[in-house]
């Protein structure tokens, strides 16, 4: 592919507030790609990927209307290490290809790649910098259960994701999201300004 702008990975555990933070980066003019959304797009009904997943995991992963049953996937695949690896082997190379194509189209000092399993999928190697969002487990649990996820599913996802210690080790920038929106916004702006400085762009006037 051609030249692409610096890619900054944004990751954090389930319920840490990644999408909220990435929306704030987008408001500051940063192009944002949500890798989870890319994965969703790749598994639309009739897609070759969906056929491959059904072959790997059985027709039960499909709803009667032919769409991917994400709840089934979460319960049966993400809760099992072997299945998670198998799923990732199918999904990740295709997601990376989409990411690369997208990056080459962006015009900005840097672009943000939002991904829940950036570290677990060895995606850090593809990034020029990594921003990690941390929040206490209880805060995250309450946020996610409030959205309707069942506690055992939340626990299984947490068990599959790496821990905050590992996240902190790979982070160039850490944002704490246990507090309010104002605190999150302030931290996002600070990180944005430091990224602009790092990648040689002038900050806001």
């Amino acid at each position: 592919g051609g030249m692409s702008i610096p890619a900054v990975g944004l990751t954090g555990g389930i319920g840490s507030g990644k999408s909220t933070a990435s929306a704030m980066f987008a408001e500051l003019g940063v192009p944002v790609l949500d890798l989870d959304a890319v994965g969703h797009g790749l598994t639309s009904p009739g897609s070759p990927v969906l056929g491959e997943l059904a072959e790997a995991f059985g027709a039960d992963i499909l709803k009667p209307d032919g769409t991917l049953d994400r709840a089934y996937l979460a319960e049966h695949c993400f809760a099992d290490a072997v299945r998670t690896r198998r799923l990732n082997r199918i999904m990740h190379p295709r997601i990376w290809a989409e990411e690369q194509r997208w990056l080459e189209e962006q015009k900005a000092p840097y672009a943000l790649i939002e991904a829940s399993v950036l570290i677990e999928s060895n995606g850090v190697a593809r990034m020029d910098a990594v921003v990690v969002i941390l929040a206490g487990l209880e805060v995250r649990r309450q946020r996610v259960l409030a959205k309707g996820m069942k506690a055992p599913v939340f626990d299984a996802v947490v068990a599959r994701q790496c821990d905050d210690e590992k996240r902190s080790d790979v982070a160039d920038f850490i944002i704490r999201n246990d507090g309010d929106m104002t605190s999150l916004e302030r931290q996002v702006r600070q990180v944005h300004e430091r990224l602009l400085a790092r990648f040689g762009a002038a900050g806001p006037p």
Side-chain angles (χ1 to χ4, degrees), residues 15 45 49-50 59 62 68 78 102 104 151 161-163 179 191 194:
V49 183
L50 199 54
L62 301 179
L68 183 60
F78 293 126
W102 180 83
E104 286 169 13
Q161 295 184 340
C162 68
D163 59 22
V191 168
R194 289 171 66 189

Side-chain angles (χ1 to χ4, degrees), residues 38-158:
V38 170
H40 284 202
L42 288 169
T43 53
S44 55
S47 67
V49 183
L50 199 54
E52 222 176 298
L53 291 176
E55 227 166 88
F57 301 110
D60 281 347
I61 69 158
L62 301 179
K63 291 183 181 166
D65 64 1
T67 57
L68 183 60
D69 187 339
R70 297 190 188 282
Y72 179 90
L73 207 63
E75 212 170 305
H76 293 84
C77 299
F78 293 126
D80 175 299
V82 176
R83 283 179 172 172
T84 299
R85 274 200 298 277
R86 201 165 169 196
L87 182 67
N88 292 345
R89 269 203 303 276
I90 296 172
M91 296 301 299
H92 288 159
R94 292 181 165 95
I95 291 172
W96 298 336
E98 289 284 319
E99 172 192 288
Q100 193 50 43
R101 187 159 56 236
W102 180 83
L103 275 171
E104 286 169 13
E105 291 168 358
Q106 304 312 309
K107 305 269 183 286
Y110 73 92
L112 198 71
I113 306 288
E114 179 194 341
S116 47
V117 292
L118 187 74
I119 299 169
E120 297 85 341
S121 67
N122 301 323
V124 169
R126 306 194 310 279
M127 299 299 137
D128 297 288
V130 174
V131 179
V132 167
I133 303 204
L134 299 180
L137 191 62
E138 272 317 303
V139 174
R140 289 164 48 199
R141 184 191 306 273
Q142 282 161 12
R143 278 181 194 149
V144 170
L145 298 192
K147 287 182 189 164
M149 183 181 271
K150 307 252 183 297
V153 178
F154 171 82
D155 293 334
V157 173
V158 169

Side-chain angles (χ1 to χ4, degrees), residues 173-192:
F173 303 94
I174 291 179
I175 292 176
R176 291 245 32 138
N177 187 25
D178 295 291
D180 55 15
M181 285 294 157
T182 317
S183 155
L184 182 60
E185 252 166 28
R186 191 180 59 244
Q187 293 178 78
V188 165
R189 189 172 290 277
Q190 284 167 350
V191 168
H192 176 58

